[in-house]
Amino acid sequence: MSMTVEALADWLGGEVIGDATRVVEKVQSLSKAGPQSITFFVGERNHIQLKGATAAAILVDRKLQQTLKIAGYPSTFILVDDPKDAFLAVAEHFAPRCVRPPVGISPDAHVSATAQIGRSTNVFPGAHVAAGVIIGDNCDLHP
């Protein structure tokens, strides 16, 4: 799945500074982001980190607009109200959460009669739960 920087900016309610035609295929941290990645930057200091960035786009706070234009960074930016929230939304879009399979307690798991297993918890085949152990809700236990 891929999107142009322009489409992402429209979806996020952001404004593009730079090449809006760049294509984004994944999300990564600022230090690891490559030419097909989107990342984010927070803060008004240390924006020198942006100088060598190779990301397709960088989500930044709208308040940095003048700083970025004056500095003349070669990167493409999407100005948003909250870069972290925008990054999380984009991450969810590019890598949606997997639906957990409802396994329950497998008959091939070894669970003590005195163990307490929370609601919607999966205990997979071969997993061991000892006596007196308390497992919370929505957990996945593998061997």
Side-chain angles (χ1 to χ4, degrees):
M1 173 184 323
S2 63
M3 288 179 79
T4 64
V5 169
E6 180 177 37
L8 281 167
D10 289 345
W11 179 58
L12 295 168
E15 177 186 345
V16 178
I17 296 177
D19 184 359
T21 65
R22 286 183 161 185
V23 176
V24 174
E25 295 181 357
K26 58 186 170 182
V27 295
Q28 289 186 301
S29 67
L30 182 59
S31 63
K32 294 182 180 180
Q36 292 150 345
S37 305
I38 190 166
T39 190
F40 75 102
F41 175 79
V42 177
E44 294 188 22
R45 291 191 224 160
N46 299 326
H47 56 82
I48 196 75
Q49 298 172 39
L50 301 172
K51 196 166 199 142
T54 60
I58 304 172
L59 297 160
V60 297
D61 194 305
R62 290 183 198 279
K63 297 173 193 167
L64 292 179
Q65 182 173 7
Q66 289 304 330
T67 304
L68 295 172
K69 285 183 177 179
I70 293 167
Y73 294 116
S75 301
T76 295
F77 299 97
I78 301 176
L79 304 173
V80 292
D81 293 328
D82 187 332
K84 283 183 185 178
D85 282 351
F87 184 75
L88 291 173
V90 172
E92 182 76 25
H93 176 76
F94 280 100
R97 294 178 187 203
C98 296
V99 177
R100 289 176 62 236
V103 173
I105 299 174
S106 168
D108 294 324
H110 305 282
V111 179
S112 169
T114 61
Q116 296 178 32
I117 308 295
R119 290 186 317 259
S120 298
T121 289
N122 295 320
V123 183
F124 286 85
H128 292 264
V129 181
V133 170
I134 300 171
I135 306 294
D137 297 338
N138 302 308
C139 295
D140 289 325
L141 301 172
H142 297 270

